[in-house]
Amino acid sequence: MSYLAKPKFHHPALPKNALGFTHRDYEGSISTLCAGCGHDSSSAARIEACFELSIEPQRVAKLSAELRKRGLEAGERVGIIAPSSVSWDWLQMAVFGARGVAVGLDPHDVDARLSAVATSAGITMLVAGTPTLARKFSAAVHRNLRLIVLVEGNGSVDDLGACVTLQQMLSAPGIAQQSW
């Protein structure tokens, strides 16, 4: 019965990650997806990735909530352009948590190709590793973006339009402040 809450108890010898969390700390309520045919395998993979990478569950949840609060609706496409790193993984999980669709963009691609991919994918928000990566897109792409989120907010961002840094999005009380 998927409407019942999971029990709070667990074996004291469950393995913990570097932050002291167990797999249970990353799980939500009992899944309504059928376990037998693999429909919940993507959720299980995200839980495993967060556990292994020692990502604080509240950081992913907070960013998901902030993306929804800033206008991300279910099914909207969010472009992520950043070097492969732990940050990329948890940013993608936050987009999924906000019911968005993450569109991975290669930071090494030429600017014209990036703009073409972003236009054909129909991205409405962009998460960029740096202001330099955000500037790789054409003016036409920037006009269609409601929001640009910068992982690292170094440098001038006046020319980027509606822009916010992760630090600004995650500055609410109760969220652990760490370097990204």
Side-chain angles (χ1 to χ4, degrees):
M1 296 205 224
S2 61
Y3 57 87
L4 296 175
K6 286 185 179 179
K8 299 284 184 200
F9 61 88
H10 61 271
H11 194 278
L14 281 177
K16 295 183 178 186
N17 63 14
L19 296 174
F21 291 115
T22 66
H23 278 91
R24 293 294 303 268
D25 295 319
Y26 291 95
E27 296 174 355
S29 59
I30 295 174
S31 176
T32 59
L33 302 172
C34 52
C37 65
H39 280 123
D40 64 349
S41 62
S42 62
S43 295
R46 287 195 299 268
I47 289 169
E48 183 66 23
C50 281
F51 176 80
E52 288 181 7
L53 296 171
S54 297
I55 296 170
E56 295 172 337
Q58 61 268 34
R59 283 174 62 189
V60 175
K62 173 65 177 166
L63 185 55
S64 292
E66 283 293 319
L67 288 171
R68 284 191 303 273
K69 188 169 84 174
R70 293 174 186 264
L72 183 63
E73 295 181 11
E76 281 190 287
R77 290 163 178 83
V78 178
I80 301 177
I81 181 167
S84 295
S85 67
V86 172
S87 295
W88 203 103
D89 292 329
W90 76 264
L91 289 166
Q92 183 180 21
M93 287 182 257
V95 170
F96 290 154
R99 307 290 190 261
V101 177
V103 178
L105 301 166
D106 185 358
H108 304 293
D109 246 341
V110 294
D111 299 0
R113 176 156 169 68
L114 280 172
S115 293
V117 170
T119 301
S120 66
I123 65 169
T124 57
M125 289 187 180
L126 178 69
V127 177
T130 63
T132 303
L133 288 173
R135 287 186 187 94
K136 291 183 73 124
F137 297 91
S138 69
V141 172
H142 279 279
R143 279 193 297 273
N144 293 328
L145 295 176
R146 283 198 320 269
L147 178 69
I148 298 173
V149 180
L150 296 174
V151 176
E152 296 175 11
N154 301 332
S156 173
V157 294
D158 295 337
D159 60 325
L160 292 177
C163 187
V164 66
T165 65
L166 279 178
Q167 288 293 349
Q168 291 168 332
M169 289 183 79
L170 298 175
S171 63
I175 300 298
Q177 296 296 314
Q178 295 182 355
S179 64
W180 304 100

